[in-house]
Amino acid sequence: MATAPESAPLPLDGLRVLDVTHIVAGPFCSMILADMGAEVIKIERPGTGERGRSNGPFIDGPEGQRVSSRYLGLNRNKKSVTLDLRDPRCKQAFERMIAESDILLDNWGPGALRRLGLGYDRLSEINPRIIYASLTGYGDPEGPAPGPYSHWPANNPCVQGMGGWMTVTGGPPNEYGDPGPQMVGDNIGDSVPGVWTALGIMMALESRHRTGRGQYIDMAMYDCMVAHMTSTMPFYQATGQVAGRERGNMLSAQLALQAQDGYVVLAGAGGAEKWKDLWRLIGREDLIEDPRYLGEGISGEFYMNHFVPAIEEWTKQRPKAEVTHSLIEIGYSMGMVQDQADLDNCPHLEARGMFINGGNDMGGTFRTVNTPIHLVGTPVTPNNQPPLLGQHNAEILCHIGGLTPEELAELATEGKV
């Protein structure tokens, strides 16, 4: 009888990442690396820590402690040290850590580390194998491809707007006016660049495997968001027309229908035969003889005022799960519009292992979304709770940082760690 193969280690086991990031984009990237086995060491400001620790909403502990739910959701499986890099002793400890690390990740803003004398030129002198990924809004103004916006600050709303997403998000003008461009309602302007930066780091690791040398990775949030305009940019190149919020492609691509308890999404409706199947399903065979109800030569006005209401006469009488399953059975691509409570109770996500319960720094648990990478034959994603501020100062700074316990105590007294 064949024996089961031993599990391989997680793919990034043995790699060390220095994580000089805050808020969402950088921590999201480093969380992916940590979930895949890397030792991720957060470098935080003494006293306050990274800015994400102060972002609400907060979870309150039994003795007045407070912890940011945003911070908990992005910083599992990491370690935390505090360093004031303006202090020469802390800077020296940081340089020793660079010598013993594989990756440096930074999203403090254009040139922030360079102004401290810690640009890539200096870091590569210390460790020629170091991979330094800098994630900024519009790219490094002193990097390989500076642009006229490179000095601009950026955040999630800025790059959603600049990257073209808000132009195509939200409803079209109606009798009540123009609702205007809308943001996608979560921080995709941060998380999308975070994923791309993690991918860039993996490419640089493969390059280092071949050449023995690290490199500088100049990532821009703006670039990453534009790269995801995978339909509207080709449409513009082919037609010269700017896609907006008019929903002119609803018949073949996207349609939200009201159900009894919410909405469902119909995508890729197809041709006349599929519409016939739908009208038969909902008991409206009388519409099959009208080519307009088979999607032939109709205007947006007819579509919104006649076509959709005819379907919704049926969907509004049924729960969204029933509508979804019924239309899938006749060949439609369907989904339910789900809110966060729906997601939290989704049996499919539960079966896929997409939720993990970690700690919350106060002895409780915190249910969060897992990294969606399923590697067969490797251990499950580790689940260590996000670190307290400076929790690993002694472990890290007195080891790879080269400080003595006495030096560490002196720096702590001065508020430098």
Side-chain angles (χ1 to χ4, degrees):
M1 181 176 178
T3 58
E6 294 185 8
S7 292
L10 285 164
L12 302 185
D13 184 42
L15 291 174
R16 178 177 290 135
V17 181
L18 299 184
D19 178 16
V20 190
T21 70
H22 62 174
I23 312 296
V24 176
F28 190 84
C29 173
S30 61
M31 183 178 68
I32 297 170
L33 305 180
D35 283 353
M36 291 296 104
E39 179 189 22
V40 174
I41 302 170
K42 290 179 66 69
I43 311 296
E44 303 191 63
R45 296 180 186 275
T48 59
E50 67 123 308
R51 288 174 57 191
R53 290 183 182 269
S54 62
N55 286 353
F58 296 93
I59 296 173
D60 295 316
E63 300 178 5
Q65 318 100 305
R66 306 194 84 198
V67 61
S68 163
S69 60
R70 169 78 68 85
Y71 170 79
L72 292 177
L74 293 170
N75 288 285
R76 62 177 176 261
N77 297 323
K78 303 177 187 179
K79 299 177 180 180
S80 170
V81 303
T82 51
L83 281 174
D84 184 347
L85 294 179
R86 297 167 298 181
D87 184 276
R89 296 162 295 176
C90 294
K91 181 178 177 181
Q92 187 176 48
F94 180 75
E95 290 182 341
R96 293 192 191 107
M97 294 167 69
I98 287 291
E100 300 293 331
S101 299
D102 298 282
I103 298 155
L104 172 65
L105 175 62
D106 155 42
N107 77 331
W108 276 2
L113 288 184
R114 189 182 298 115
R115 290 190 291 274
L116 293 170
L118 294 168
Y120 178 68
D121 290 346
R122 171 61 183 152
L123 300 176
S124 62
E125 288 177 2
I126 299 168
N127 181 358
R129 291 176 56 81
I130 195 73
I131 293 167
Y132 175 16
S134 172
L135 176 55
T136 60
Y138 301 96
D140 185 350
E142 299 182 40
Y149 306 153
S150 290
H151 289 281
W152 289 10
N155 52 29
N156 167 53
C158 293
V159 295
Q160 283 202 41
M162 291 287 291
W165 289 55
M166 290 174 63
T167 301
V168 296
T169 303
N174 54 42
E175 64 270 26
Y176 303 107
D178 187 347
Q182 303 292 316
M183 286 196 304
V184 176
D186 211 311
N187 291 71
I188 61 164
D190 294 307
S191 56
V192 166
V195 173
W196 275 104
T197 303
L199 178 60
I201 288 170
M202 299 311 300
M203 299 299 181
L205 283 168
E206 177 61 21
S207 177
R208 190 180 75 173
H209 175 72
R210 297 165 184 255
T211 67
R213 292 194 62 84
Q215 60 183 280
Y216 179 57
I217 307 172
D218 175 20
M219 297 296 303
M221 299 165 71
Y222 182 30
D223 296 352
C224 296
M225 297 302 287
V226 172
H228 280 254
M229 301 297 288
T230 55
S231 295
T232 55
M233 284 296 286
F235 178 82
Y236 173 75
Q237 295 298 330
T239 68
Q241 299 177 24
V242 174
R245 294 172 283 117
E246 68 283 348
R247 298 296 186 267
N249 61 345
M250 269 189 167
L251 276 174
S252 61
Q254 52 184 302
L255 173 61
L257 297 167
Q258 189 173 356
Q260 190 178 67
D261 57 348
Y263 288 84
V264 298
V265 178
L266 182 154
E273 293 304 315
K274 289 187 69 175
W275 286 122
K276 291 178 182 179
D277 291 339
L278 184 143
W279 298 128
R280 293 188 186 103
L281 172 72
I282 69 175
R284 291 302 307 271
E285 291 89 344
D286 57 299
L287 299 179
I288 292 177
E289 301 305 319
D290 188 335
R292 296 175 300 173
Y293 286 94
L294 303 181
E296 297 178 10
I298 61 174
S299 66
E301 185 274 335
F302 179 87
Y303 182 70
M304 296 304 300
N305 294 327
H306 299 279
F307 200 108
V308 170
I311 302 175
E312 289 188 332
E313 287 177 6
W314 181 80
T315 60
K316 286 180 180 180
Q317 306 305 313
R318 291 161 175 80
K320 58 187 180 184
E322 179 185 334
V323 173
T324 299
H325 290 132
S326 297
L327 291 180
I328 285 174
E329 287 179 0
I330 63 169
Y332 280 82
S333 177
M334 297 293 299
M336 295 176 285
V337 176
Q338 300 194 118
D339 60 22
Q340 294 81 24
D342 293 324
L343 296 175
D344 194 51
N345 290 288
C346 177
H348 185 83
L349 293 176
E350 195 72 51
R352 294 279 295 168
M354 281 302 298
F355 294 108
I356 55 176
N357 285 295
N360 68 6
D361 293 346
M362 298 179 298
T365 60
F366 181 77
R367 182 171 166 89
T368 189
V369 181
N370 205 353
T371 293
I373 301 173
H374 299 272
L375 299 173
V376 178
T378 61
V380 297
T381 303
N383 187 20
N384 301 309
Q385 77 169 32
L388 296 168
L389 180 62
Q391 179 178 340
H392 302 91
N393 277 356
E395 173 191 338
I396 301 298
L397 297 179
C398 293
H399 178 214
I400 61 173
L403 296 177
T404 66
E406 294 76 19
E407 289 170 330
L408 180 59
E410 180 180 356
L411 288 168
T413 300
E414 298 176 11
K416 301 297 183 180
V417 298

